[in-house]
Amino acid sequence: MTARESAPMRTLLFGLLCIGVLLLAGAAMPRWLTFLLTMALANGVVALGIMLLMRSGVVSFGQGLVFASGGYAAALGFRWLGWTDGLLLTLAGGLLAALIAAPFAWLIARYRGIFFAMLTLALSMVLYGLLIKSTAFGGSDGLNMGRVSYLGVRPADAWVGYTNYAVTVVIVGMISVLMRVYFDSVRGLVVLSARDNEIRVEYLGSSVQSLIATNFIIAAFCGGVGGALAVIALGHVEPDYSYWTRSGDFVFVAILAGHHSVLAAFVASVALELVRSFSSAYFPNSWQLAMGLFLLAVIRFLPNGIGSLWVARIRSSAAPADAAARGSA
Amino acid sequence: MSSAYMIDARGIQKKFGAVTAAADVQIAIAHGQRVSLIGSNGAGKTTFVNMLTGYIKPDAGEILLDGQSITGLAPRQIARLGVARSFQIPQLYKALSVQDNLLAAIAAQQSALSFWRPAKNADSMALAHDMLQRFDLLPHAERLVSELPGGVRKLLDIAMALTRQPKVLLLDEPTSGVSADEKFPMMDTVMRALDGSPTTVLFVEHDMDIVAQYSERVIAFYSGRIIADDKPEQALAMSDVKRYVTGELIAATDHA
């Protein structure tokens, strides 16, 4: 029984191991690959927020809202407030996105299915409209931002790409560990059960609306962090961050990943970036077709997402001890 | 024990348009009593249960739970005060295993839902194991709910309602959908699991053999009114009950 109490500790160790491997591997990678992975991780943490919402039984089609909020928070913090610390800007991105989402959370949490998706989509398009019209935020051109420092240290020119990558790995890795601990927690199980049967959850004494509202705010924080990390790596933010096709990318990654495995969100995100990069280079006019076929194949053959490849389904043959161990992937 | 009665419903009125579902219903149930509610469809027993759990609100009257008014509270708030229910059609988490269903039920009833504490913590696992044992569900612990036969689902549904030792347990037609030869073994299991617990039990039931065997008091409804409230043998022998609930009297006159 004590082994189960230490599950968060095992998740932490697994997370630290992944972070360590990625940091070492990054040093040996070509520059284009560290950049591609930085973007994939930044997008992946946004999709991780959608995964949390999927576990509560809803899908947000408007995570562009929080992605853009995080991105603009970082750019504006840099330009207007003179904040140059990347960690501070990332935190500001996450907090501002959560703050923008919070007033809508309890209202949106009353809706399910397509209504939830459309309401979130509408909010993100409202932000898109505001950004593209406002001269203060650079209009349709967006904003540029300069190079950031980390804890007072400005990385040398040759190391900028790797430093951004390393910081992204560490931040996204920590969020992932916390998310897995949440998935496995008391609240996490109630969230997952609400996905199956809300009536039962209510009659047992928990509020599904409050669970979804809380998760919406947490997902917003994840989206804001992702947006800030992407903008720091790119040095540029534009209203397109809040456009519906961007939100569609995040949903694409989340559906590809399924809702079982945190790791799957990043595997799916890397897959999307790789397919996008290579197919736009080799067959630029039909790469969306390749993406579409890829998604169709995943939905047909892995309806629970690629995470179901390594998160074994619960089976009558499985020993009880395995059930606890499975969760940590 | 702060009050003489666990449930004290006073002057309950409820109308749905022209249909009277409750007309001045008075029911007082002592602590720990095992009571069955009977009546034909539309007689008002489900309405009473739904008012007790907060799903619908009475037009007039008051319901006290252990001396505390619960009139007008939401189902969630009433559940928190110790009223648990099972469902005629089991309300389970189909994608989860039997054990995880119980763990989810235990988790959903905790006062603060922790973001950190594992759902499979030692206390919850021990409690889940205890419930599995009491309800003969241990052989099914790792099976997915979608693989379970109907009788086992019914037992799991009741076990989930009982995880936190509620003050009142409402069983909505516990034997409906269960085959005739499984009904008594199933009720035996439920009653054995309840043995020695102080929980007050109300069940809505259509099978009069089950009613006679497992309840110490029978309340019969007809057209929103209580037409009998007595020990099973007396209540089931009343002519009104025979005419409006069990249908024996009509059948007898038809044959005559």
Side-chain angles (χ1 to χ4, degrees):
Chain A
M1 289 292 170
T2 48
R4 289 193 180 94
E5 297 279 11
S6 67
M9 204 42 79
R10 265 207 320 265
T11 307
L12 179 64
L13 287 177
F14 182 75
L16 289 177
L17 184 74
C18 288
I19 291 172
V21 168
L22 282 173
L23 288 180
L24 285 176
M29 282 176 201
R31 212 173 278 181
W32 65 267
L33 186 57
T34 49
F35 180 74
L36 185 145
L37 287 180
T38 307
M39 295 310 287
L41 290 174
N43 290 335
V45 79
V46 187
L48 187 60
I50 299 183
M51 184 186 287
L52 175 62
L53 289 170
M54 278 166 69
R55 286 175 81 90
S56 8
V58 289
V59 174
S60 162
F61 221 100
Q63 289 311 89
L65 170 79
V66 290
F67 187 69
S69 303
Y72 273 90
L76 293 173
F78 188 89
R79 289 168 68 103
W80 290 0
L81 304 173
W83 294 353
T84 56
D85 192 281
L87 299 178
L88 180 65
L89 291 172
T90 306
L91 183 66
L95 289 180
L96 184 79
L99 214 62
I100 287 177
F104 303 106
W106 266 263
L107 173 74
I108 286 182
R110 293 169 59 179
Y111 297 88
R112 301 291 179 273
I114 194 70
F115 304 103
F116 186 94
M118 287 296 119
L119 274 172
T120 51
L121 175 65
L123 283 179
S124 75
M125 291 309 287
V126 167
L127 181 68
Y128 176 78
L130 288 175
L131 290 174
I132 210 154
K133 296 271 189 242
S134 69
T135 45
F137 299 149
S140 58
D141 290 341
L143 297 168
N144 287 324
M145 70 177 284
R147 202 177 283 176
V148 299
S149 61
Y150 293 106
L151 304 172
V153 182
R154 259 173 172 281
D157 285 355
W159 287 94
V160 171
Y162 179 76
T163 314
N164 285 340
Y165 165 80
V167 168
T168 303
V169 164
V170 171
I171 291 175
V172 170
M174 283 182 344
I175 290 179
S176 301
V177 167
L178 292 176
M179 194 63 92
R180 183 74 248 177
V181 170
Y182 177 19
F183 284 3
D184 293 338
S185 73
V186 167
R187 179 182 284 264
L189 185 60
V190 181
V191 165
L192 195 59
S193 61
R195 178 189 162 88
D196 256 356
N197 193 333
E198 292 191 15
I199 294 171
R200 187 76 205 219
V201 172
E202 291 282 337
Y203 274 103
L204 286 166
S206 280
S207 160
V208 177
Q209 187 187 4
S210 143
L211 289 172
I212 292 179
T214 314
N215 287 351
F216 187 68
I217 295 172
I218 295 172
F221 180 82
C222 291
V225 167
L229 289 171
V231 167
I232 289 170
L234 276 170
H236 180 71
V237 60
E238 57 190 26
D240 266 4
Y241 273 41
S242 188
Y243 200 56
W244 66 271
T245 51
R246 183 70 68 134
S247 302
D249 282 353
F250 300 132
V251 173
F252 184 101
V253 170
I255 290 174
L256 211 57
H259 67 267
H260 293 292
S261 163
V262 168
L263 200 59
F266 301 103
V267 173
S269 184
V270 170
L272 174 70
E273 286 301 320
L274 283 175
V275 174
R276 194 189 345 237
S277 303
F278 283 98
S279 36
S280 63
Y282 294 112
F283 37 105
N285 296 320
S286 55
W287 74 269
Q288 281 101 336
L289 182 69
M291 293 301 307
L293 290 175
F294 185 41
L295 184 62
L296 272 181
V298 169
I299 290 172
R300 170 63 184 85
F301 297 106
L302 291 170
N304 290 311
I306 50 178
S308 59
L309 279 177
W310 58 87
V311 179
R313 298 295 313 277
I314 296 158
R315 282 275 165 261
S316 43
S317 56
D322 289 336
R326 273 200 296 270
S328 58
Chain B
M1 300 281 163
S2 57
S3 166
Y5 295 110
M6 181 51 90
I7 296 166
D8 193 356
R10 299 169 178 172
I12 302 295
Q13 310 260 6
K14 182 74 197 177
K15 281 190 178 175
F16 298 106
V19 178
T20 303
D24 197 27
V25 169
Q26 311 272 359
I27 294 179
I29 293 167
H31 293 269
Q33 231 173 15
R34 308 278 145 95
V35 182
S36 57
L37 308 176
I38 61 172
S40 56
N41 291 330
K45 51 194 193 318
T46 302
T47 301
F48 180 69
V49 167
N50 282 340
M51 286 191 286
L52 207 52
T53 56
Y55 184 69
I56 53 177
K57 320 244 170 291
D59 298 335
E62 195 181 22
I63 303 173
L64 303 179
L65 175 73
D66 206 5
Q68 182 185 0
S69 174
I70 56 168
T71 329
L73 295 184
R76 196 173 350 112
Q77 295 167 304
I78 294 176
R80 292 265 165 191
L81 292 172
V83 177
R85 68 165 297 176
S86 74
F87 295 81
Q88 185 182 353
I89 298 163
Q91 298 294 319
L92 307 171
Y93 307 130
K94 291 191 183 64
L96 304 181
S97 70
V98 170
Q99 178 180 258
D100 286 355
N101 266 266
L102 282 167
L103 287 170
I106 293 163
Q109 295 174 76
Q110 294 184 0
S111 49
L113 301 179
S114 169
F115 286 93
W116 310 102
R117 190 157 191 238
K120 292 180 195 254
N121 60 71
D123 296 341
S124 300
M125 290 295 280
L127 180 54
H129 188 267
D130 181 44
M131 295 308 289
L132 288 171
Q133 205 157 33
R134 280 162 64 187
F135 280 85
D136 292 337
L137 291 169
L138 269 178
H140 307 288
E142 293 295 322
R143 291 177 74 184
L144 287 181
V145 162
S146 48
E147 300 170 355
L148 295 178
V152 180
R153 287 186 195 210
K154 279 285 205 188
L155 280 175
L156 177 58
D157 191 65
I158 296 168
M160 285 166 73
L162 260 182
T163 44
R164 283 277 147 166
Q165 296 185 330
K167 289 178 179 172
V168 176
L169 175 66
L170 301 166
L171 303 174
D172 192 357
E173 304 201 17
T175 66
S176 83
V178 179
S179 69
D181 48 345
E182 278 180 83
K183 281 185 180 180
F184 280 93
M186 201 206 97
M187 283 304 286
D188 282 340
T189 307
V190 173
M191 289 300 155
R192 218 181 319 119
L194 282 164
D195 250 359
S197 91
T199 303
T200 306
V201 184
L202 265 74
F203 55 99
V204 175
E205 185 54 67
H206 285 298
D207 187 320
M208 293 307 139
D209 296 333
I210 299 282
V211 168
Q213 170 107 22
Y214 295 102
S215 51
E216 53 191 278
R217 176 179 167 192
V218 173
I219 300 175
F221 287 79
Y222 178 73
S223 186
R225 288 167 206 283
I226 294 171
I227 55 169
D229 182 351
D230 215 327
K231 290 197 171 67
E233 48 273 30
Q234 279 86 348
L236 294 176
M238 286 175 66
S239 61
D240 272 357
V241 172
K242 283 185 172 174
R243 178 168 294 126
Y244 297 123
V245 183
T246 57
E248 288 167 41
L249 215 54
I250 297 170
T253 38
D254 278 354
H255 287 297

